[in-house]
Amino acid sequence: MVIRRRKVLASISIVLALAALSVIATHTVIAAVHAPTMPPAEALKLLLDGNQRFVAGKLEHPNQTPERRAEVAKGQHPFAAVLACADSRTPPEIIFDRGLGDIFTVRVAGNVADKVVIESLDYSVKHLGVRVVMVLGHRRCGAVIAAVEGHEGTADQDVGPMLSELRPAVEASKGMPGDPVENAVRENVKLVMKNLATSEELAAMVKSGDLKVVGGIYDLDTGTIEMLKD
Ligand SMILES: [Zn+2]
């Protein structure tokens, strides 16, 4: 009985030691990054509040004064990073009603995340203090339409880097009920969010709750953003 209890105690000690090591490892990784501009939940609220003002037509145009320009010329501490489509109708600074130095923006057709995009977002977190990263797809995305329409019969052809990046989303959404383009837009956002986690440090920060990676779909007609569930 005593021996058994000792064994149990030994097992518990090992589990606790491993847990402590894992916490230390996570914090060692996080300790190397820039201090947060603000906590993730607060940063996300700022983005969504700005979008509500945009939707309601009550824009405040914060941080767009010459004083702000002078302030951020000395250094930037954006509170959020947004990966959006290059589409001219989806500029993050406008649809979130923000100004200079607020959002670290990466824009590329189809809001795909190749290595350069991932590295850029990685930089904003590690070196600028960003603690919320939003992957923002949008409805009727031309890049996704091209990927969906061009998919059939091109499986073995070289379709170029953009369509190659979108192909996994088209594949993943194949056979789903509903509109193929809308489905592929959603799948693309989800896959891009997963791709961001290929950065070991970002993945550790997400796990510890220090960083939030969120996905949204922008509606061209209403200006609203539908947040995707985790
Ligand atoms: Zn687009």
Side-chain angles (χ1 to χ4, degrees):
M1 196 61 183
V2 173
I3 291 169
R4 192 162 168 231
R5 193 176 296 160
R6 271 192 197 147
K7 268 188 180 170
V8 170
L9 283 174
S11 308
I12 290 171
S13 309
I14 290 168
V15 168
L16 287 175
L18 285 175
L21 270 180
S22 143
V23 168
I24 289 165
T26 304
H27 281 273
T28 309
V29 166
I30 295 167
V33 304
H34 193 286
T37 303
M38 68 175 72
E42 207 178 305
L44 182 59
K45 189 176 181 309
L46 268 193
L47 282 181
L48 298 180
D49 285 353
N51 178 246
Q52 279 186 5
R53 293 196 299 274
F54 171 71
V55 170
K58 293 178 178 167
L59 296 163
E60 289 175 3
H61 305 292
N63 292 338
Q64 297 185 18
T65 59
E67 290 75 25
R68 175 65 170 176
R69 185 175 66 225
E71 184 192 339
V72 295
K74 295 175 207 145
Q76 59 166 333
H77 304 288
F79 66 84
V82 177
L83 167 57
C85 183
D87 192 300
S88 61
R89 300 163 294 180
T90 64
E93 287 82 359
I94 294 179
I95 65 179
F96 293 112
D97 190 26
R98 296 307 317 182
L100 297 172
D102 288 338
I103 305 175
F104 187 92
T105 302
V106 180
R107 295 182 70 184
V108 59
N111 45 273
V112 293
D114 63 10
K115 283 182 181 166
V116 178
V117 168
I118 293 175
E119 200 176 349
S120 302
L121 293 169
D122 210 73
Y123 173 81
S124 74
V125 173
K126 286 189 213 158
H127 300 285
L128 303 179
V130 161
R131 289 298 182 272
V132 67
V133 176
M134 183 184 286
V135 180
L136 188 63
H138 70 99
R139 304 190 72 185
R140 305 198 296 276
C141 178
V144 175
I145 291 171
V148 169
E149 287 179 350
H151 187 64
E152 295 301 331
T154 58
D156 300 321
Q157 289 170 24
D158 183 6
V159 292
M162 186 193 74
L163 294 186
S164 295
E165 289 288 338
L166 286 166
R167 182 171 273 170
V170 176
E171 288 284 354
S173 57
K174 229 176 183 178
M176 281 182 179
D179 184 88
V181 172
E182 297 295 307
N183 293 337
V185 163
R186 274 166 195 278
E187 287 308 308
N188 183 43
V189 169
K190 288 182 194 166
L191 286 174
V192 168
M193 287 167 72
K194 274 190 197 153
N195 284 348
L196 296 187
T198 53
S199 157
E200 204 178 302
E201 280 150 311
L202 297 198
M205 290 176 71
V206 168
K207 205 175 165 196
S208 66
D210 289 277
L211 172 70
K212 227 175 165 47
V213 176
V214 296
I217 309 289
Y218 178 73
D219 188 314
L220 295 171
D221 302 302
T222 62
T224 52
I225 289 163
E226 178 200 342
M227 296 302 293
L228 296 187
K229 298 212 168 62
D230 293 336

